[in-house]
Amino acid sequence: MKNEKLKAILKQNAMVIVLVLVYLFFVITTGGTIASPDNFENLINQNAYVFILGIGMMMCMLTGGNIDLSCGSVVCFLGAVLGVFMVKLDMGVGVSLLLVLGVGLAYGAILGYAIAYLNIPPWIATLAGYLAFRGLGTAVLTTKLGEADRYAATSAIPFTDHPSFINMFSGKVFETPYGELNIVCIIVGVLAAAIVAYLNFSKRASKIKKGYEAESKTMTIVKTAIEVAVIVLFAVMLSISGGIPTVLIWVVLLLVIYSFITERTTLGRYLLAVGGNGETSRLSGINTKLVLFGAYMNMAFLTTITTFATASRYTSANSFAGKDFEMDAIAACVVGGVSAYGGSGTVFGMVIGALLIGVINLGMFLMNIDDNWQKVVKGLVLLAAVVFDILSKKSKALKK
C-alpha cells in the first residue's frame, strides 16, 4: 500500500522532480554559475514570454488540443507597429500601447472568428499567421515613411528615448545596489510564501468539506514546503541582484488571475468541458463556438502583453523578436501536463513546464551549446512529455 502511494506521489510530481534534477545538473555543469543572483534574475527576464504565452496557449489547448503557431510572428509584427507609433510617429507611450493592444485584439477577433465560426483548422489558420506576420513585421520595420526618416534603412527601431516604457516592463521595483540585501523584496517573498501555504491548505480543507477526493496531508505539507522554499530562494536572490523585476510582477499578476479563472469560474469549466467532449458540451447548452473564439481572443491579448515585455527587454523593435516563442509556449504546456488532446491542465502545471524550459534555455546558453543542439534537446523533452502523458492515460484506463 505504501509503495502504491509512493508511486502515485512520484507520478503526480514527475515534472517537479525532473525540474529539480535538471537544475542540479546545470548547477554542476556550469560550476554553479546558473545559481548566481544574476542568473535568477535572467531566468525571469529572459523567459517571461514563456509564462505569458504559456497561459494563452494552455487555454487554447484546453479546448481540444488546439494551438497557436502564429504568436511568435505576431510578437514581431506588433513590436514593429509599436515602433512606428511610439518612435516614428511620436504618439507617446500610453497612446501607442493602447493602439497596439487594439491591433492585437483585432487580429485575435479575426483569427477566433475564422477558427470558431468558419471552421478553419487552428493549425492551418495560425500557420498562415506564422508565415505572414514575420514577413509583415520585417516589412513594417524597413518601410520608409519620409525622406528624413533616420530609421528607414534599418531593421530595428530603438526605444531608448522612451525610458518610461522600458522601465514599465524591464525595470525594478524599489531598486537597490547589487549585493545589498533588498528588504522590500524579502518581505514580499515571505508574504507570497505565506499566501501560497494558506491557499494550499485551505484548498485541501475545502475539498474534504465538500466530499471531494483530496491529496494526503503529508503530500500537501511536502508540496507546500517545496513551493515556500523556492519562493524564499527567489526572494533572497532577487534582493541581492537589486530588487523585484517589473516583468515578474506582470507575470505573477497574470498567473494569479488566470489560475482563478481556470479553477474557480464557469468559463474555466467550459474550457475543460469543450476540450473533454465538444459535442456533449454543445448539447448541454454551452456555446462551444464562443468559448473557442474567446480562447483565441485571449491568446491575442497575451501575445500583445508579450510584445510589450519583449520590446522593452530588447529596447527595440526588431525582425528577430518572437522567434520560436510559440514552440517554447507549446512545450511549456505539454511538459507541464496540459493534455495534447485537451480537457485537462492547470496553470501551476504550465508554470512548472515553463520553469523547466527556462532552466534548459539558460543552462544551455551558459554552457555555450549551439542553438541547433538546444532545439534537439527541447524537442526530446517535448516528445518525452507527450509519451509520459499517453502512458499515464493508458495506465489509468487499465485500472478502471
Side-chain angles (χ1 to χ4, degrees):
M1 190 69 177
K2 287 184 178 180
N3 289 335
E4 288 182 5
K5 283 186 177 180
L6 181 60
K7 285 181 181 179
I9 290 171
L10 291 175
K11 183 179 285 187
Q12 187 179 353
N13 298 277
M15 287 306 156
V16 176
I17 295 169
V18 170
L19 172 61
V20 173
L21 292 176
V22 169
Y23 184 75
L24 291 176
F25 169 78
F26 283 121
V27 168
I28 295 168
T29 54
T30 63
T33 303
I34 197 172
S36 68
D38 279 344
N39 283 314
F40 267 82
E41 185 179 340
N42 289 334
L43 181 62
I44 295 166
N45 290 333
Q46 294 177 11
N47 296 283
Y49 73 91
V50 185
F51 294 93
I52 301 172
L53 288 179
I55 297 169
M57 197 69 72
M58 183 195 77
M59 296 186 77
C60 289
M61 291 178 70
L62 288 179
T63 62
N66 300 311
I67 56 175
D68 182 0
L69 295 172
S70 68
C71 57
S73 295
V74 173
V75 166
C76 173
F77 169 69
L78 292 179
V81 173
L82 180 64
V84 171
F85 288 151
M86 193 182 298
V87 180
K88 290 189 174 184
L89 300 180
D90 196 22
M91 300 182 74
V93 174
V95 173
S96 298
L97 294 180
L98 288 174
L99 287 174
V100 171
L101 179 60
V103 173
L105 292 178
Y107 167 68
I110 294 169
L111 179 64
Y113 183 81
I115 293 171
Y117 295 97
L118 299 182
N119 297 318
I120 297 176
W123 70 274
I124 290 289
T126 60
L127 179 60
Y130 169 83
L131 296 171
F133 283 102
R134 177 68 58 180
L136 190 58
T138 304
V140 170
L141 286 169
T142 55
T143 296
K144 190 172 182 179
L145 295 184
E147 291 300 323
D149 186 358
R150 58 190 171 126
Y151 304 118
T154 71
S155 58
I157 302 175
F159 295 120
T160 48
D161 291 336
H162 296 81
S164 60
F165 166 66
I166 295 173
N167 291 331
M168 192 183 301
F169 292 92
S170 293
K172 289 183 181 179
V173 179
F174 302 110
E175 188 172 1
T176 52
Y178 183 88
E180 182 180 311
L181 207 61
N182 189 304
I183 302 301
V184 174
C185 193
I186 297 293
I187 293 172
V188 171
V190 171
L191 288 175
I195 291 170
V196 167
Y198 170 76
L199 290 175
N200 283 346
F201 284 99
S202 64
K203 185 177 180 180
R204 179 178 180 274
S206 177
K207 283 185 176 181
I208 293 173
K209 186 177 180 181
K210 293 177 181 178
Y212 298 152
E213 184 180 353
E215 61 189 10
S216 66
K217 188 175 181 180
T218 302
M219 184 62 209
T220 303
I221 292 172
V222 171
K223 185 178 77 172
T224 302
I226 293 172
E227 291 173 359
V228 167
V230 170
I231 292 170
V232 171
L233 178 61
F234 263 96
V236 171
M237 290 297 182
L238 291 177
S239 72
I240 294 173
S241 68
I244 304 171
T246 50
V247 74
L248 177 60
I249 297 173
W250 285 98
V251 168
V252 170
L253 183 63
L254 290 170
L255 290 174
V256 170
I257 291 171
Y258 281 92
S259 181
F260 177 80
I261 290 173
T262 54
E263 295 181 17
R264 304 290 181 91
T265 67
T266 302
L267 175 59
R269 290 192 290 272
Y270 282 178
L271 287 166
L272 293 170
V274 170
N277 193 316
E279 184 60 21
T280 301
S281 300
R282 186 185 67 80
L283 293 174
S284 65
I286 297 175
N287 189 335
T288 55
K289 291 184 181 295
L290 184 60
V291 170
L292 189 57
F293 175 84
Y296 279 93
M297 276 289 289
N298 175 70
M299 186 72 212
F301 168 72
L302 291 172
T303 299
T304 307
I305 301 299
T306 303
T307 300
F308 300 153
T310 303
S312 66
R313 183 167 73 87
Y314 291 157
T315 67
S316 69
N318 54 66
S319 57
F320 59 83
K323 186 179 179 182
D324 293 333
F325 277 18
E326 62 283 337
M327 300 306 172
D328 283 347
I330 293 169
C333 289
V334 176
V335 170
V338 180
S339 175
Y341 305 100
S344 66
T346 63
V347 170
F348 175 76
M350 186 280 298
V351 168
I352 297 299
L355 280 173
L356 180 57
I357 296 300
V359 167
I360 291 173
N361 284 338
L362 181 58
M364 291 194 293
F365 172 78
L366 293 173
M367 291 177 66
N368 293 316
I369 294 176
D370 183 75
D371 285 348
N372 295 315
W373 285 108
Q374 290 186 34
K375 291 177 182 177
V376 171
V377 171
K378 286 192 282 189
L380 292 174
V381 170
L382 178 60
L383 179 61
V386 172
V387 171
F388 179 78
D389 181 43
I390 293 172
L391 292 177
S392 295
K393 286 184 176 179
K394 282 186 177 180
S395 177
K396 288 180 182 178
L398 288 173
K399 286 182 180 179
K400 289 181 180 179

